mmCIF file of all heavy atoms in Angstrom:
data_model
loop_
_atom_site.group_PDB
_atom_site.id
_atom_site.type_symbol
_atom_site.label_atom_id
_atom_site.label_comp_id
_atom_site.label_asym_id
_atom_site.label_seq_id
_atom_site.Cartn_x
_atom_site.Cartn_y
_atom_site.Cartn_z
ATOM 1 N N MET A 132 17.739 15.561 -23.076
ATOM 2 C CA MET A 132 18.297 15.848 -21.764
ATOM 3 C C MET A 132 19.483 16.803 -22.018
ATOM 4 O O MET A 132 19.705 17.747 -21.250
ATOM 5 C CB MET A 132 18.801 14.542 -21.154
ATOM 6 C CG MET A 132 17.631 13.645 -20.668
ATOM 7 S SD MET A 132 18.226 12.181 -19.861
ATOM 8 C CE MET A 132 19.002 12.811 -18.391
ATOM 9 N N LEU A 160 -4.626 35.907 -23.791
ATOM 10 C CA LEU A 160 -4.225 34.489 -24.073
ATOM 11 C C LEU A 160 -5.235 33.805 -24.936
ATOM 12 O O LEU A 160 -6.465 34.093 -24.980
ATOM 13 C CB LEU A 160 -4.119 33.719 -22.692
ATOM 14 C CG LEU A 160 -3.092 34.314 -21.737
ATOM 15 C CD1 LEU A 160 -3.108 33.455 -20.431
ATOM 16 C CD2 LEU A 160 -1.722 34.183 -22.258
ATOM 17 N N LYS A 161 -4.765 32.814 -25.595
ATOM 18 C CA LYS A 161 -5.650 31.952 -26.482
ATOM 19 C C LYS A 161 -5.617 30.494 -25.865
ATOM 20 O O LYS A 161 -4.997 29.676 -26.488
ATOM 21 C CB LYS A 161 -5.213 32.009 -28.005
ATOM 22 C CG LYS A 161 -5.294 33.337 -28.594
ATOM 23 C CD LYS A 161 -4.972 33.348 -30.013
ATOM 24 C CE LYS A 161 -5.065 34.780 -30.586
ATOM 25 N NZ LYS A 161 -4.787 34.766 -32.073
ATOM 26 N N GLU A 172 -1.212 16.723 -29.499
ATOM 27 C CA GLU A 172 0.085 16.134 -29.202
ATOM 28 C C GLU A 172 -0.079 14.802 -28.501
ATOM 29 O O GLU A 172 0.659 13.807 -28.851
ATOM 30 C CB GLU A 172 0.846 17.028 -28.314
ATOM 31 C CG GLU A 172 1.328 18.342 -29.080
ATOM 32 C CD GLU A 172 2.356 18.122 -30.116
ATOM 33 O OE1 GLU A 172 3.273 17.198 -29.831
ATOM 34 O OE2 GLU A 172 2.361 18.760 -31.141
ATOM 35 N N THR A 313 -26.002 -16.833 9.269
ATOM 36 C CA THR A 313 -26.410 -16.780 10.758
ATOM 37 C C THR A 313 -25.489 -15.910 11.488
ATOM 38 O O THR A 313 -25.837 -15.520 12.676
ATOM 39 C CB THR A 313 -26.349 -18.221 11.301
ATOM 40 O OG1 THR A 313 -24.923 -18.768 11.177
ATOM 41 C CG2 THR A 313 -27.214 -19.160 10.625
ATOM 42 N N SER A 392 -11.639 -51.528 -6.954
ATOM 43 C CA SER A 392 -12.146 -51.331 -8.305
ATOM 44 C C SER A 392 -13.071 -50.030 -8.448
ATOM 45 O O SER A 392 -14.033 -50.000 -9.384
ATOM 46 C CB SER A 392 -12.916 -52.573 -8.731
ATOM 47 O OG SER A 392 -12.115 -53.733 -8.788
ATOM 48 N N LYS A 406 -6.546 -27.952 -7.246
ATOM 49 C CA LYS A 406 -5.124 -27.433 -7.494
ATOM 50 C C LYS A 406 -5.010 -26.071 -6.877
ATOM 51 O O LYS A 406 -3.842 -25.799 -6.362
ATOM 52 C CB LYS A 406 -4.908 -27.360 -8.999
ATOM 53 C CG LYS A 406 -4.787 -28.674 -9.740
ATOM 54 C CD LYS A 406 -4.532 -28.485 -11.229
ATOM 55 C CE LYS A 406 -4.395 -29.805 -11.976
ATOM 56 N NZ LYS A 406 -4.150 -29.637 -13.370
ATOM 57 N N SER A 435 -29.353 -25.839 -2.521
ATOM 58 C CA SER A 435 -28.593 -24.637 -2.453
ATOM 59 C C SER A 435 -27.140 -25.091 -2.621
ATOM 60 O O SER A 435 -26.647 -26.143 -2.000
ATOM 61 C CB SER A 435 -28.732 -23.970 -1.103
ATOM 62 O OG SER A 435 -28.450 -24.799 -0.048
ATOM 63 N N ALA A 452 -5.931 -6.024 19.537
ATOM 64 C CA ALA A 452 -5.550 -4.720 19.956
ATOM 65 C C ALA A 452 -4.196 -4.346 19.358
ATOM 66 O O ALA A 452 -3.289 -5.221 19.124
ATOM 67 C CB ALA A 452 -5.458 -4.655 21.523
ATOM 68 N N ALA A 479 -7.855 -7.137 -13.186
ATOM 69 C CA ALA A 479 -7.410 -8.251 -14.105
ATOM 70 C C ALA A 479 -7.579 -9.603 -13.454
ATOM 71 O O ALA A 479 -7.769 -10.596 -14.177
ATOM 72 C CB ALA A 479 -6.031 -8.008 -14.540
ATOM 73 N N SER A 607 24.977 2.285 -5.942
ATOM 74 C CA SER A 607 25.580 1.656 -7.199
ATOM 75 C C SER A 607 24.852 2.012 -8.467
ATOM 76 O O SER A 607 25.448 2.492 -9.427
ATOM 77 C CB SER A 607 25.618 0.156 -7.014
ATOM 78 O OG SER A 607 26.310 -0.238 -5.882
ATOM 79 N N LEU A 638 27.171 6.088 3.772
ATOM 80 C CA LEU A 638 28.565 6.402 4.252
ATOM 81 C C LEU A 638 28.672 7.828 4.644
ATOM 82 O O LEU A 638 29.390 8.175 5.643
ATOM 83 C CB LEU A 638 29.485 6.226 3.099
ATOM 84 C CG LEU A 638 29.764 4.787 2.611
ATOM 85 C CD1 LEU A 638 30.686 4.670 1.420
ATOM 86 C CD2 LEU A 638 30.176 3.929 3.736
ATOM 87 N N ILE A 648 31.069 11.953 17.185
ATOM 88 C CA ILE A 648 31.686 11.232 18.383
ATOM 89 C C ILE A 648 32.967 11.899 18.638
ATOM 90 O O ILE A 648 33.383 12.032 19.838
ATOM 91 C CB ILE A 648 31.750 9.819 17.989
ATOM 92 C CG1 ILE A 648 30.349 9.127 17.847
ATOM 93 C CG2 ILE A 648 32.477 9.006 19.067
ATOM 94 C CD1 ILE A 648 30.341 7.714 17.436
#
Side-chain angles (χ1 to χ4, degrees):
M132 293 180 65
L160 299 175
K161 297 182 179 180
E172 292 289 323
T313 60
S392 301
K406 289 180 181 179
S435 61
S607 302
L638 293 179
I648 295 175

